Amino acid sequence: MTALRPQRAHNPPPKPRAGGLARARRNEAAALVIPALIPVVLLSVIPLLIGIGMAFTDSTLARNHETSFVGLQNFINLGSDSLFWQSFGIGIIWSVSVTVLQFLGGLSLALLLNSDLKFKGLTRLLALMPWAMPPVVVAIMWQMIYSPTNGPLNWLIGTLGGPERINWLGDFSLALPAVILVGVWVGMPQNTITLLAGLQQVPAELSEAAAVDGAGAWSRFKHVTFPAIKPVIISITSLSFIWNFNSFGIVYVMTEGGPGGRTMLPMLFTYLEAFKSRHTGSAAAMGDVIVLFLIVILVAYLWRQLRGERIPK
Amino acid sequence: MKLHRTVAVATMAVVSLSLAACSAGGTPAQSEGPVEIKFQSFSDQPAAIAATEEIVAAWNKDHADSQIKLIQAPSDSLDDKLTTQFAGEVAPDIIHYEIQGIAPFARDGYIADLSSLLSQKTLDDIEPGVLDSVTLDGKIVGAPTELQTYVVFANKGLLESAGVSIPTGDSMSWDTFAEIAKASTTPEVHGAAWGLKSPTAAFLSLGLGFDGTFFGTGKDVSLTVGEKEMEVPNRVRAMIDAGSLDPIGVTQSSSDVLATFYGGKAAMTVQGSYQIANVAADAPADMDWIVLPPLEGSAGIAQAATPQTLSINIDSAVQKQAAEFIDYFMQTDNLVKMNTADGLIPTTTSARAAIAEQNAGVNGWDAILASAAGLKGPTFLGADGYVRWKDTVATPGFQKFLGKEIDGARLATDLEAGWAQVNK
């Protein structure tokens, strides 16, 4: 994410003098950079380009299939594929709510861990726990927690006198909120740790000075802490949004897109298209659409956020 | 720059190598002499793994020049594994899967036609309806080994305490099933529980009992959801509405529902017949469980045959030897051994007779074998696009219908419109 680099004003590089020394240096630099670029090009750039290109072909997984160029046909078909756009809408609801809740939860936890509590080390370790688990394990664990017939959650609600036998993952209106909760639970540690690191960079003197001037806790946060950690907030929320929009494992294991397609995220849909229906061409087109959409959203978001930080030249 | 050229040359080399690997070809040159045959099995029950190993060991002892190498595959991500194996051209010679899963690979040209490879003796022994189910476009794409039907397990104690007369005989009508479920429902207990988290296969299979074929035949397969097709979904929905079928159970998997059944919270449960092995092992010791006669619709006790299959990779250089091993695997004693281990129903006439004799008097087996009498080759296996329709249209549609979100008329139009969209 090069766009996330803090924009500093720097002097324009001096114009190279037409001398042997400068050229030798340039070649030296190139010779040092190229070996490092080879794996990047071979393992990331080329597959990415092949993947993008595949969307313009009728590629399938059939044996000895003669792939041919079909232009924009896949995208045209996708335009009228209501099922895909339905899953796209679910994907937006999922990623926006998970990202926002993750951020709010992570920030609250980070502020708490940043204050002088007892057992600070232990609580920080505990906050990391969900991060240490593989997504599939998390999903299976939550599936058990949510189990309508013998899950601990329903037992707890039942003993507290609540309604009996709530069908968390099988009810049309509850399934998406239930998986969103798990998504938040899994992603909070990343947000917490990143924000905590940001909070620890904020000089304590600033808060103290504001306190001396009579600022309350809220206005100290608003005018001192928040501006200081704003770049961290921007980077972690945008990264979270990308991860969440492309998340697959947790929902796939918990609901497989059900009930009634209520949790069919775009990535799940693309997976079915590529590996169950075996149409790799149209699945690549779906992937391209998702990437384009993410780029547009992020550019708009970062543009607004970072514009104010430019130091006028 | 030298470096540039090196990179370019290396890239070219990689590209040309991969192109060479993708060169088109028909049947590869067949090996003679001593060979090794890779046989990938996905059986995950310990007893079935042991039975497979036994069969392979017995073969290897007698056939020094065609040795079978058994490879264990995962059962839950087998589809992904096979997809990458075939795309990367490293698929094994013999592939163990089931017909619904292997059909898309067969349609994409990866599977050899067994009609001329297997011996006539083997082919003649396979039940006609079952042989029909593994024949796609006139090609036999897999040798059927084991299959399941949908049967009703019942808690005899709960039925008796509800004062229900327990059905006997060769079949039980759907109306009877609904009546019993209603009669045995109490505030604490549902009359029936059915794990319909993935409802499509069960509805399409049992739909044949009412002549509900869903799909036509031929090249451009059409889908009709009429009264016959709606019989089973409508009856299930009516049981939910009447309160006799557990509404939570229909959103769970069948093994989750078994827990409800063991806990005495459901008098009956509809399950794949293979669960008999699990019920026999896991049911509480004091539970008196039975298997009720097969469900019968207006067109008899027909269900779809969707057997497990052994297929041969079309790019295998040892097709002849692989087919000889499949012939051996399909022998009566071997099929009985495998099906006993898995609690499944054999696919050949002789093995079915042998297992009936072996399990005479064993709880539930008579009813399960009776349910296999009406197995037919389903039409949906020939329908290209069936998998996508099932995943993105049918399963969500049936779920919405059972969850009382849409009515039957809407379900029928959704299923048909979805099929049209999938096949655009």
Side-chain angles (χ1 to χ4, degrees):
Chain A
M1 294 289 306
T2 44
L4 288 175
R5 274 206 313 248
Q7 307 272 343
R8 280 198 223 96
H10 47 75
N11 303 326
K15 283 217 175 73
R17 277 165 312 173
L21 185 64
R23 199 174 319 128
R25 274 208 186 140
R26 267 211 312 280
N27 288 350
E28 207 173 88
L32 288 171
V33 166
I34 285 176
L37 280 180
I38 290 173
V40 175
V41 170
L42 276 184
L43 301 174
S44 309
V45 179
I46 291 178
L48 182 75
L49 293 177
I50 291 175
I52 292 174
M54 207 185 260
F56 300 93
T57 67
D58 66 346
S59 154
T60 76
L61 289 173
R63 177 172 175 263
N64 302 334
H65 175 71
E66 295 289 336
T67 305
S68 55
F69 182 77
V70 294
L72 292 173
Q73 195 53 49
N74 284 328
F75 293 93
I76 294 165
N77 290 348
L78 203 56
S80 61
D81 192 339
S82 57
L83 292 167
F84 174 70
W85 295 110
Q86 217 174 331
S87 81
F88 213 84
I90 293 169
I92 290 173
I93 296 172
W94 152 270
S95 21
V96 169
S97 41
V98 173
T99 307
V100 169
L101 292 172
Q102 262 176 3
F103 166 69
L104 292 177
L107 185 62
S108 324
L109 202 55
L111 287 168
L112 199 65
L113 294 176
N114 196 35
S115 56
D116 248 341
L117 290 170
K118 271 205 171 77
F119 309 118
K120 207 160 47 175
L122 182 67
T123 43
R124 280 183 193 176
L125 194 66
L126 285 178
L128 279 180
M129 279 298 266
W131 205 359
M133 294 187 191
V136 173
V137 174
V138 169
I140 292 174
M141 187 184 80
W142 276 91
Q143 221 177 3
M144 292 172 175
I145 292 175
Y146 279 141
S147 166
T149 38
N150 47 15
L153 185 61
N154 274 359
W155 170 82
L156 187 71
I157 291 172
T159 46
L160 297 175
E164 294 247 317
R165 295 189 71 180
I166 303 171
N167 195 0
W168 296 101
L169 294 175
D171 186 282
F172 294 118
S173 49
L174 285 177
L176 189 56
V179 291
I180 284 175
L181 182 71
V182 180
V184 173
W185 185 84
V186 169
M188 251 178 61
Q190 262 152 336
N191 281 262
T192 309
I193 293 299
T194 318
L195 292 167
L196 183 59
L199 285 172
Q200 296 190 329
Q201 301 299 319
V202 183
E205 296 85 4
L206 287 180
S207 279
E208 283 162 20
V212 170
D213 289 342
W218 169 242
S219 69
R220 278 210 303 274
F221 173 77
K222 197 171 134 187
H223 296 293
V224 178
T225 315
F226 183 74
I229 59 169
K230 199 172 158 190
V232 178
I233 293 176
I234 291 170
S235 57
I236 191 68
T237 44
S238 21
L239 285 174
S240 289
F241 187 80
I242 298 173
W243 289 327
N244 290 328
F245 201 86
N246 289 338
S247 74
F248 172 79
I250 290 177
V251 181
Y252 179 67
V253 174
M254 278 202 295
T255 61
E256 287 177 46
R262 284 307 153 84
T263 56
M264 185 70 79
L265 300 181
M267 272 298 149
L268 237 61
F269 198 89
T270 309
Y271 162 83
L272 292 177
E273 181 71 14
F275 300 109
K276 290 278 190 284
S277 312
R278 313 172 64 75
H279 297 305
T280 34
S282 51
M286 290 177 189
D288 286 1
V289 168
I290 291 173
V291 169
L292 265 179
F293 164 80
L294 284 175
I295 289 174
V296 168
I297 292 275
L298 286 172
V299 163
Y301 175 72
L302 295 171
W303 182 271
R304 294 197 35 188
Q305 295 292 340
L306 294 172
R307 206 176 33 182
E309 311 216 353
R310 293 249 170 94
I311 299 164
K313 288 189 176 136
Chain B
M1 287 212 50
K2 257 210 187 104
L3 250 154
H4 268 268
R5 213 167 319 151
T6 324
V7 173
V9 169
T11 320
M12 290 285 286
V14 170
V15 170
S16 55
L17 268 178
S18 51
L19 283 179
C22 298
S23 60
T27 311
Q30 294 293 305
S31 302
E32 296 298 336
V35 293
E36 183 186 71
I37 305 164
K38 294 194 180 71
F39 168 31
Q40 180 172 289
S41 154
F42 76 89
S43 295
D44 52 359
Q45 305 261 10
I49 294 174
T52 312
E53 283 169 349
E54 252 175 65
I55 294 172
V56 169
W59 167 272
N60 283 346
K61 210 174 74 190
D62 295 345
H63 299 81
D65 53 2
S66 67
Q67 290 286 299
I68 301 283
K69 181 163 179 265
L70 186 59
I71 303 163
Q72 187 63 42
S75 59
D76 50 3
S77 54
L78 184 60
D79 212 75
D80 297 346
K81 187 179 171 91
L82 282 172
T83 301
T84 37
Q85 281 180 321
F86 278 120
E89 305 190 350
V90 289
D93 303 302
I94 302 178
I95 298 131
H96 172 212
Y97 203 5
E98 46 104 33
I99 185 63
Q100 288 190 67
I102 206 73
F105 293 103
R107 220 176 278 119
D108 278 349
Y110 289 109
I111 303 296
D113 178 10
L114 296 180
S115 340
S116 53
L117 283 166
L118 291 181
S119 73
Q120 201 53 43
K121 183 169 162 283
T122 305
L123 294 176
D124 289 342
D125 199 14
I126 299 170
E127 293 271 330
V130 181
L131 190 60
D132 218 20
S133 73
V134 293
T135 309
L136 290 187
D137 303 332
K139 297 191 180 102
I140 298 177
V141 299
T145 54
E146 314 168 36
L147 43 75
Q148 64 144 30
T149 54
Y150 291 94
V151 293
V152 184
F153 289 87
N155 182 331
K156 204 170 165 187
L158 284 178
L159 290 188
E160 280 168 348
S161 63
V164 172
S165 65
I166 291 166
T168 51
D170 297 339
S171 65
M172 165 177 72
S173 74
W174 274 87
D175 290 341
T176 311
F177 174 55
E179 281 159 24
I180 299 174
K182 185 89 194 113
S184 52
T185 298
T186 67
E188 293 299 310
V189 178
H190 281 101
W194 191 349
L196 284 169
K197 189 179 177 179
S198 312
T200 312
F203 283 172
L204 263 57
S205 175
L206 288 162
L208 291 177
F210 292 95
D211 254 342
T213 50
F214 285 86
F215 291 95
T217 47
K219 206 72 196 127
D220 293 320
V221 180
S222 59
L223 170 77
T224 338
V225 184
E227 275 175 30
K228 291 172 179 172
E229 281 76 14
M230 286 300 296
E231 280 277 1
V232 175
N234 278 336
R235 284 165 184 271
V236 173
R237 168 78 181 263
M239 286 170 74
I240 295 175
D241 291 345
S244 55
L245 183 66
D246 180 7
I248 287 193
V250 297
T251 67
Q252 294 180 295
S253 69
S254 39
S255 42
D256 289 337
V257 167
L258 270 182
T260 311
F261 179 68
Y262 296 152
K265 298 275 177 209
M268 295 184 286
T269 176
V270 185
Q271 296 284 347
S273 60
Y274 67 94
Q275 295 282 21
I276 189 165
N278 295 328
V279 175
D282 302 337
D286 59 346
M287 186 197 271
D288 188 6
W289 60 270
I290 49 171
V291 179
L292 296 179
L295 284 165
E296 182 182 26
S298 56
I301 56 167
Q303 291 188 34
T306 50
Q308 290 186 20
T309 49
L310 295 179
S311 304
I312 296 182
N313 178 354
I314 199 161
D315 288 320
S316 162
V318 288
Q319 287 182 7
K320 192 166 68 74
Q321 294 91 332
E324 281 163 11
F325 173 73
I326 294 181
D327 274 332
Y328 173 75
F329 197 97
M330 295 289 291
Q331 284 175 9
T332 310
D333 334 349
N334 289 334
L335 281 192
V336 169
K337 199 181 282 179
M338 285 304 303
N339 282 282
T340 304
D342 268 329
L344 285 165
I345 304 163
T347 46
T348 63
T349 316
S350 64
R352 216 174 270 182
I355 213 163
E357 201 173 317
Q358 177 189 303
N359 290 340
V362 177
N363 187 6
W365 267 94
D366 294 351
I368 285 182
L369 288 171
S371 71
L375 284 168
K376 293 209 265 197
T379 48
F380 56 80
L381 292 171
D384 197 3
Y386 166 74
V387 179
R388 183 176 175 184
W389 175 80
K390 171 172 153 261
D391 286 336
T392 59
V393 180
T395 297
F398 284 130
Q399 283 172 342
K400 284 182 196 163
F401 175 67
L402 297 178
K404 307 184 188 186
E405 180 146 313
I406 54 175
D407 62 4
R410 175 71 198 280
L411 172 65
T413 42
D414 279 2
L415 293 180
E416 287 179 2
W419 179 247
Q421 190 169 40
V422 165
N423 285 287
K424 261 203 320 259

